[in-house]
Amino acid sequence: MGARGGSGLYVGRRAAALVAAVLLALLAALLALAALYGRCRGEEAPPAPPKSPDGAAGGAGVPGGPPGVPSWRRLPRHLLPLHYDLELWPRVRPGQAGPFSFVGQVNITVRCRQDTRAAVLHSAGLRIRGAAVRGPLPEPGDAVWGSLPNPGVVVEVPELQEAAGEVAVLELRGRLQAGRRYVLQLGFQGRLEEDLDGLFLTRYTDQGRSSMLIASQLEPTYARTVYPCFDEPAMKATFNIRIIHDPSYVALSNMPAIDTSEMKDENGSLWTVTTFKTSLKMSTYITAFVICDFDYVTRTERGNEIRIWARKEAIKNGYVDYALNITGPIFSFLEDLLNISYPLPKTDLVALPDFGAGAMENWGLMTFQESSLMYLPSDKFTSRKAMIAIIVSHELGHQWFGNLVTMKWWNDLWLNEGLASYFEYLGATFVEPRLSLDKIFYDHVVQPVLREDNEVGVRSLSQNEDKIKGSFSLISLFDSITYNKLYLKEFSFSNANQDDLWTHIQMVVDAQDEVHLPASVKKIMDSWTCQNGFPVLTLNITTGTISQEQFLNKKNENTSTDSYNNTWIVPISWMRNGSSQPLIWLDKSSKFFPEMQVSESEYDWILLNVNLSGYYRVNYDQLNLKRLVHLLENDPKAIPAVSRFQLLDDVFALTQFGYIQIETALELTKYLAREDELFIWNVVLLNLVPENLESTLKNYEVYPLLKKYLLKRMLPIYHYYAGFIRQNVDALEHDYFAKVYLEKLFATACWLGLQDCLDLSYELYTKWMDNPQYKIPFLIRRTVSCYGVALGSDKEWNFAWEMYNHTDSTKEDKDILLSAMSCAKESWLLHRYLQYGLSDTLFSSNCTSIIISYVVTKDIGHRIAWDFVTENWPLLNERYGKELLHDVLKVMGRFVNTDVQIQELQVFYNTTLEEDERVTATLLLEFAKVENVERRQLLTKVADWLHKNVDD
């Protein structure tokens, strides 16, 4: 599905000469994504259907269920699909009120692999009618639409059972014979909902008119809700598809349309029939259908017709032109890189106004949330171009990894998602060469996964098959661990598992003698994929030893028990005194490396995991950390930017999880006056000034010290960017990190009271008030709007209110203004704002909790918001119920700073909440109490350290 990050690898054409680089790069990239889609066992064979006494596959069935109903989750393999003839007819007309339904017919040609008296396939939420089985078919010969060549006899279906597990069982009067082909014929009917899964309907506005469209989202197991099928990724088949639809719509599917005709329904009404070319062999979850009245733009790339479909208004305004311009070049780039041509004659990309999956890689018919494809001229100072390039690259990567070669079962989902992500940043960088690929990848992908993949309960990358029990379990695999953790030709139009990939890498290793691994590729990779989490390596430069353990929260008592004893086979890239050193391997819990011992010189230092090439954290001894602090203060560029980022991120994570003290992390921030990389500043500010602690940090002990310490170091980079804001903001159009992180830098500078930041904010806000056509630079619009209101009075607040109610304000503009109005420093304005929030005529109901949440996070707003909630609770509860309660209490609990406030919240819970709600809220409060104790201890340490170092 949609892109959530990934890495990249360039495979050169001179394979023999570069085999070492290829292998090491691949291993490093896979490890860098690692928690790698782990697996602790070999691929299990699908369960064979149990034999009934007469030798036919029938099965004991579900206890108490009808005979022939299997009790396993996977379909039995006595029938394998070869070809589908599928007709879909959504009974939808423009302007129709609903409810909506669809009907259809599917003829599935199957090969019988074992004698059986039952046909078992998937069906969920469908009403099946007119089931029949014909055959055996003559050999050779394929079914074609409308007629069957010598279809043979009809095998009677006296009973159709819909069993648990989303399967349908056709009980047969006769026996299907092993080795022969048959056709299952089923009519079906289903409901067309607006839930964004399966075949769904969605409403939208285009050129001022209300419209609706029909689209599909079938991954992972929603194909069975659209048509009866063998809905498993390994059960590939070819498809003939035809769609019956209203004549005012166009129908799209995986393959090009080859015919359109007309037909009349039972009432004599006219419908259009669109028939599509026979597909390539593919899995059910990437079949796709869209029925819409969109327009499109098109271009041809190496014979591949590329069309991007969107609302007529978006096409007319050129909003998808950027996506069109990059899609073809990315296709060509991937073809050249992989040396395998794209096998389809056309590609459609559809921008859906409402789409829950974000993006979906259906073969030949990719679907996207429209915001993922549309680039507006006003977006020039957002990161939208990069986002579009990354998402499009990800979905195009799936055309090979996932569609051409597919995982055998969902436990190896990483073979789809991981390898598509593996190329997405390469494709994006190819079309947007100004992007700093390495910095973006580690900032957006590796660091967030390292933050998430560190608890005992976090799953390993590839799950054991018996843990993947149903649709809910499958959907849970589509998380950041999966997305962020060369066998194509052999497995084209087929399926593979993880070990197939290791086998092919091993073949490359065995064919050369330049690279020597400490173990087989499978053993190395299984050390990562058979256990959850990742290691932290601890280096002692005095003894030259490196030890490893699983990175866990040492503040918790939980311990991990794992068959691999938390030992990984780790490739370690390292440098000494600025010079890169040969790769070493840590294949034990602890190992002595004589080359890691250093001299007494303070200029003799070691850095591990250079450019974050491995998926682990590093903990240095105090001696090496002291030398790195000295190095950063004197020559920060001696350490590569990504490694500086990693060093700071690691040290704050080690602090948070109890490995080292906060003072150690703070020592590494002394050099920051010489740091000119925004993405590094961002990781520092996220740790030193997290948004959920701003009010806590504003206490009398820490705030003045933090203000003096940080501003002294922020001034150089602040003034550098402030100069662009004042004189030539257009020069930042291609500065990706300015688009992403400049807001945080400016917001922190203003929060710390930097007068230049406050003056600039008020100056730009006043300029906007004087001329509402003026646009505050998007890069800092939220900060400027907030402090423009904060530094003014009711005049500035009323202007924000007026702009909020302006008819052409975008959704993003409105959210910025909702936040800005909570920044007022006069309490009466906040009281009035909260009262406005109660009005159904001034705000939509979902804005009420947003307004309260914004106000409660502000310095003077916390008490005002709390009083407002308690005074108006009966009305708030009556109108908005548990949803608002959940939103408000979640925020309130985050901003309580003292035990007295916690007690006050507890009293409120006891007097206003139902028992079940009270239990949940009390647990949150208990957690807040513990956090308060830890927070006070931490702030005391920070204050003490700042006292000693603020003037350095």
Side-chain angles (χ1 to χ4, degrees), residues 334 638 768:
L334 290 173
W768 185 30

Side-chain angles (χ1 to χ4, degrees), residues 414-607:
W414 85 269
L415 291 175
N416 282 19
E417 296 300 343
L419 290 174
S421 297
Y422 189 57
F423 289 100
E424 72 183 34
Y425 281 85
L426 284 182
T429 308
F430 177 75
V431 294
E432 287 292 338
R434 293 185 183 91
L435 292 178
S436 300
L437 169 65
D438 56 344
K439 297 174 186 176
I440 294 172
F441 173 63
Y442 294 112
D443 180 73
H444 288 8
V445 181
V446 179
Q447 190 253 14
V449 178
L450 285 169
R451 288 280 171 183
E452 180 175 332
D453 188 20
N454 52 31
E455 296 291 350
V456 174
V458 174
R459 67 177 182 82
S460 59
L461 217 150
S462 170
Q463 294 287 283
N464 195 309
E465 287 183 26
D466 61 15
K467 293 182 181 179
I468 310 300
K469 296 182 178 178
S471 298
F472 182 82
S473 296
L474 296 181
I475 290 168
S476 71
L477 293 178
F478 293 88
D479 59 15
S480 63
I481 302 297
T482 293
Y483 275 76
N484 298 305
K485 290 228 194 244
L486 280 151
Y487 65 147
L488 281 172
K489 288 186 178 178
E490 179 166 339
F491 293 100
S492 291
F493 306 105
S494 185
N495 300 78
N497 64 26
Q498 178 171 275
D499 286 348
D500 294 323
L501 179 59
W502 307 153
T503 297
H504 281 71
I505 298 175
Q506 189 69 55
M507 289 166 60
V508 176
V509 175
D510 295 342
Q512 53 81 53
D513 58 8
E514 297 180 50
V515 175
H516 301 282
L517 303 179
S520 68
V521 172
K522 174 174 170 54
K523 186 174 181 180
I524 292 171
M525 300 313 298
D526 280 357
S527 79
W528 292 88
T529 62
C530 289
Q531 56 189 335
N532 62 312
F534 58 87
V536 53
L537 273 54
T538 300
L539 169 65
N540 185 315
I541 62 173
T542 302
T543 63
T545 59
I546 302 179
S547 59
Q548 62 167 298
E549 60 182 305
Q550 186 176 4
F551 183 71
L552 294 171
N553 193 339
K554 285 185 174 291
K555 298 173 184 177
N556 294 338
E557 295 182 0
N558 297 329
T559 56
S560 174
T561 56
D562 199 292
S563 60
Y564 275 71
N565 298 316
N566 299 324
T567 300
W568 289 259
I569 302 178
V570 187
I572 303 175
S573 60
W574 64 293
M575 67 166 50
R576 182 169 185 167
N577 306 334
S579 298
S580 295
Q581 305 296 314
L583 187 83
I584 60 174
W585 291 84
L586 177 64
D587 55 359
K588 300 175 182 176
S589 60
S590 181
K591 195 171 183 179
F592 167 62
F593 295 96
E595 62 268 44
M596 293 282 183
Q597 289 179 302
V598 299
S599 69
E600 294 183 2
S601 169
E602 65 178 338
Y603 299 100
D604 197 3
W605 52 270
I606 287 177
L607 188 77

Side-chain angles (χ1 to χ4, degrees), residues 84-88 104-107 145 188 226-228 239-243 287 289:
Y84 290 78
D85 284 307
L86 173 63
E87 176 183 277
L88 280 178
Q105 173 74 32
V106 64
N107 294 353
W145 186 268
F188 56 91
V226 181
Y227 58 97
F239 288 78
N240 280 348
I241 293 171
R242 70 175 182 180
I243 298 175
T287 57
F289 323 99

Side-chain angles (χ1 to χ4, degrees), residues 73 212 215 283 289 500 546 671 815:
R73 341 174 270 293
M212 55 188 179
S283 304
F289 323 99
D500 294 323
I546 302 179
Y671 89 99
D815 183 64

Side-chain angles (χ1 to χ4, degrees), residues 129-351:
R129 49 186 173 77
V133 177
R134 294 181 178 271
L137 301 179
E139 301 284 349
D142 293 318
V144 295
W145 186 268
S147 64
L148 297 171
N150 189 17
V153 298
V154 174
V155 183
E156 291 187 34
V157 184
E159 189 173 7
L160 171 66
Q161 298 281 351
E162 296 210 19
E166 301 181 340
V167 298
V169 181
L170 281 64
E171 297 288 350
L172 307 176
R173 188 83 68 189
R175 179 185 301 177
L176 305 186
Q177 302 169 13
R180 305 304 299 273
R181 292 182 305 126
Y182 297 84
V183 175
L184 314 182
Q185 298 180 323
L186 303 104
F188 56 91
Q189 180 177 354
R191 289 180 60 84
L192 197 57
E193 306 285 1
E194 299 184 40
D195 56 4
L196 307 182
D197 289 324
L199 191 67
F200 62 89
L201 182 142
T202 186
R203 303 174 192 272
Y204 62 98
T205 301
D206 190 7
Q207 297 180 325
R209 293 182 301 181
S210 178
S211 301
M212 55 188 179
L213 62 79
I214 298 161
S216 62
Q217 168 56 32
L218 306 188
E219 188 180 27
T221 57
Y222 294 113
R224 66 191 67 174
T225 70
V226 181
Y227 58 97
C229 57
F230 294 82
D231 196 13
E232 296 186 8
M235 303 182 88
K236 291 188 171 185
T238 56
F239 288 78
N240 280 348
I241 293 171
R242 70 175 182 180
I243 298 175
I244 303 172
H245 55 93
D246 185 89
S248 66
Y249 291 134
V250 64
L252 306 172
S253 189
N254 305 83
M255 300 299 289
I258 56 173
D259 182 63
T260 56
S261 58
E262 294 181 346
M263 63 165 277
K264 292 184 178 179
D265 62 17
E266 62 277 7
N267 299 317
S269 298
L270 202 62
W271 296 82
T272 296
V273 182
T274 300
T275 303
F276 299 91
K277 185 177 180 180
T278 303
S279 78
L280 303 176
K281 194 175 177 184
M282 62 183 184
S283 304
T284 50
Y285 78 89
I286 55 172
T287 57
F289 323 99
V290 173
I291 303 168
C292 63
D293 62 351
F294 281 177
D295 281 347
Y296 68 90
V297 290
T298 184
R299 65 180 284 175
T300 299
E301 182 85 8
R302 295 182 179 177
N304 174 20
E305 182 188 13
I306 298 169
R307 298 182 296 185
I308 299 189
W309 299 78
R311 292 178 294 112
K312 292 180 172 65
E313 184 176 35
I315 296 292
K316 180 181 177 182
N317 292 332
Y319 293 165
V320 297
D321 290 353
Y322 173 74
L324 180 69
N325 291 336
I326 65 171
T327 299
I330 294 173
F331 256 126
S332 296
F333 170 76
L334 290 173
E335 282 189 330
D336 293 341
L337 183 65
L338 301 170
N339 198 26
I340 294 180
S341 298
Y342 178 66
L344 301 186
K346 70 92 179 176
T347 302
D348 289 314
L349 290 76
V350 184

